Amino acid sequence: MSKRYNDSISSKMIAGIIVIVIVIIVVGVVSYNYYRESIKTTTTLITNSSLQPQTITVVMYSGGGANFLNKTVIPMFEKEYPNIKVNLVTYPYSQYFSAISTAFQAGSNQYDIVLYTHGTAYQFWPYLIPLNNSGINQSDILQGAEADGGIYYNKTSNQYEIVGELFGSSFYIFAYNTKLFNNTLLQQEFYNEYHFSLNPWTWNNWTQVIDADQFFVSHNITKYGFLIADSASDKDIDYSFPAVYYWFYEHNETVNGGTSAGIPGWGIYFYGYMSSNSKYPQIALNTSVGIEALETYKELISYEPNPLQLPITYDNLPDILGENVSPGAFMWNSQIDAVPSNVSKYIAFAPLPGGYAEPGPTFLGISKYSTHVKAAELFLQFLTSPQVQVLSSVPVSKQAFNMLISNKSLPLLVRERYNATLIASQKAYAGVGTGVPSQIPTLSTYLDNGIFSYITNQSNNAQEIMNSVVQKWIDALNAYIS
């Protein structure tokens, strides 16, 4: 799985689409429940016999998802539906988005199904057809991740539309070493000192995580506390900070306005409501929500290596966790395969404190220029079915998760990981927006650099840092949306 926000962006595509970005805004208070429930779908299945022999082309960047399609899904699909052949085209990640941008701008029908990510959602939406009536069983799809880039508000039709089908999603959750956490002596010692359980499933806030950090480090049980990514240069702050921030956002209705997932398209860095004459909702980063999250994030990092000397990154976290120097880590569940086996065999998962997760989704959408729409829809129906998803390393089907959890031929700990991921995924709302210009790297860099200066003690006033970040965002948004 690639990191969540390392998507390259075509400047021409941005310029051409920004007007459409603005129509994502919903005037007034937007209820997330209304947003979800207002999506009208059908599950009418398309039959192979109704389609003429044809070939559909799927395009994506090279990697694990492409391998899954090429080696598993496509052969199964073509056997099941011999009238339809599937041509898979891949580009290196660094070339992918500009190549698809060029094809879209030219109105090319060479690609029927295209892959996109959370961070490039607003670029792709204008070129994709609605999938509300595609026959896909949307109630079986992991909704928190699906909402984080697969759905947008169509101002013309006054409806939310599914334009991207969840293809895969890692979840940023809690990994912990059961050799330590299942130790009855440590459990009792911890309870006697802190008066709550050492079981991470019972933790309700980040203060309890910090208490556990203090326990393991001060008692010389481990060298470090729980690992959490802290590198600005590698864009790791882009996903680790929102995971902490979301807890404070969810628990502050003055800021979230009763919409704990934020306004669809804008996410949790903005107030959960906006006035009718606003171009965008008010930025919330310099409120008590952002300040408390920043202070908490810094305290968590104080129990791991100095970021100036050994930053914790997406790439090195599994190896450092494998050195047995930490009781656990906050990480993408898909990273478990990169943790050395001497430690991974003891690693269990739990939701983030308070019972939530951060999604890292990718999507497949059907190009509005496709001349094979029905066949493409049939392919997406097949791909998202539980019978196929149970074979994926990152399932998107709740039924597939339950099939894996009940499969007793799998090791117990593996089944428990699937169970933890499924539970955490039901509240995977720690996303920072998909349809807003704040995803442009130059804007997110303001926040990354400000946070990094604070956690490394180059700047010590959290309020001033967030005020500066917010002002830069306001200036950039005003110029961009004017």
Side-chain angles (χ1 to χ4, degrees), residues 36-37 39-44 131-147 151 162 164-166 381 384-386 389 396-402 422 425-426 429:
R36 182 175 57 189
E37 294 168 5
I39 298 171
K40 306 301 181 184
T41 63
T42 65
T43 54
T44 303
L131 300 174
N132 300 51
N133 301 320
S134 63
I136 296 169
N137 182 8
Q138 297 295 340
S139 64
D140 185 45
I141 303 299
L142 302 179
Q143 289 304 304
E146 172 65 31
I151 303 169
I162 300 167
E165 197 56 51
L166 192 63
Q381 285 179 18
T384 55
S385 67
Q389 284 298 306
V396 302
S397 157
K398 288 180 279 189
Q399 290 184 57
F401 267 101
N402 285 322
L422 177 61
S425 72
Q426 302 307 298
Y429 301 140

Side-chain angles (χ1 to χ4, degrees), residues 280-326:
Y280 50 82
Q282 186 178 347
I283 302 171
L285 285 165
N286 61 344
T287 66
S288 62
V289 169
I291 303 307
E292 291 173 10
L294 181 55
E295 292 171 345
T296 300
Y297 184 57
K298 181 176 182 177
E299 194 163 0
L300 289 166
I301 289 167
S302 72
Y303 288 96
E304 62 186 27
N306 186 327
L308 291 173
Q309 299 170 350
L310 178 61
I312 303 299
T313 71
Y314 174 87
D315 293 323
N316 70 15
L317 184 148
D319 288 333
I320 296 174
L321 183 61
E323 294 172 3
N324 260 325
V325 292
S326 169

Side-chain angles (χ1 to χ4, degrees), residues 57 84 95 123 140 152 179 217 232 245 247 263 281 288 292 296 304 357 376 391 395 400 413 459 464 473:
T57 299
I84 306 171
Q95 301 172 19
Q123 294 175 256
D140 185 45
Y152 92 111
K179 285 187 69 175
V217 173
Y245 175 95
W247 189 95
I263 294 180
S288 62
E292 291 173 10
T296 300
E304 62 186 27
L391 304 174
L413 187 57
S459 302
E464 287 183 1
W473 276 32

Side-chain angles (χ1 to χ4, degrees), residues 2-17:
S2 59
K3 288 191 293 183
R4 187 174 177 193
Y5 301 123
N6 61 349
D7 307 313
S8 68
I9 294 180
S10 161
S11 59
K12 288 184 179 179
M13 195 169 187
I14 292 171
I17 298 173

Side-chain angles (χ1 to χ4, degrees), residues 314-481:
Y314 174 87
D315 293 323
N316 70 15
L317 184 148
D319 288 333
I320 296 174
L321 183 61
E323 294 172 3
N324 260 325
V325 292
S326 169
F330 297 97
M331 57 187 274
W332 298 103
N333 65 310
S334 59
Q335 288 180 284
I336 189 65
D337 292 335
V339 178
S341 59
N342 64 307
V343 171
S344 66
K345 63 184 178 182
Y346 299 113
I347 295 295
F349 290 154
L352 297 176
Y356 65 98
E358 179 178 354
T362 55
F363 303 90
L364 290 174
I366 299 176
S367 169
K368 71 178 184 179
Y369 304 117
S370 170
T371 56
H372 308 287
V373 170
K374 292 303 180 184
E377 288 181 347
L378 183 61
F379 182 77
L380 293 183
Q381 285 179 18
F382 183 82
L383 173 64
T384 55
S385 67
Q387 293 77 11
V388 174
Q389 284 298 306
V390 76
L391 304 174
S392 173
S393 60
V394 283
V396 302
S397 157
K398 288 180 279 189
Q399 290 184 57
F401 267 101
N402 285 322
M403 291 163 67
L404 291 164
I405 292 165
S406 62
N407 183 355
K408 293 188 178 179
S409 67
L410 295 174
L412 177 61
L413 187 57
V414 172
R415 287 184 279 132
E416 289 179 347
R417 288 176 188 158
Y418 279 118
N419 184 55
T421 302
L422 177 61
I423 291 172
S425 72
Q426 302 307 298
K427 192 179 175 184
Y429 301 140
V432 297
T434 54
V436 293
S438 59
Q439 295 308 310
I440 298 169
T442 54
L443 294 180
S444 62
T445 298
Y446 296 153
L447 181 60
D448 293 348
N449 290 344
I451 290 174
F452 191 76
S453 69
Y454 183 72
I455 63 176
T456 55
N457 296 312
Q458 298 173 66
S459 302
N460 294 312
N461 190 313
Q463 186 70 62
E464 287 183 1
I465 287 173
M466 286 305 197
N467 285 344
S468 176
V469 168
V470 167
Q471 188 56 57
K472 289 176 180 177
W473 276 32
I474 288 173
D475 292 344
L477 288 170
N478 283 337
Y480 208 77
I481 303 180

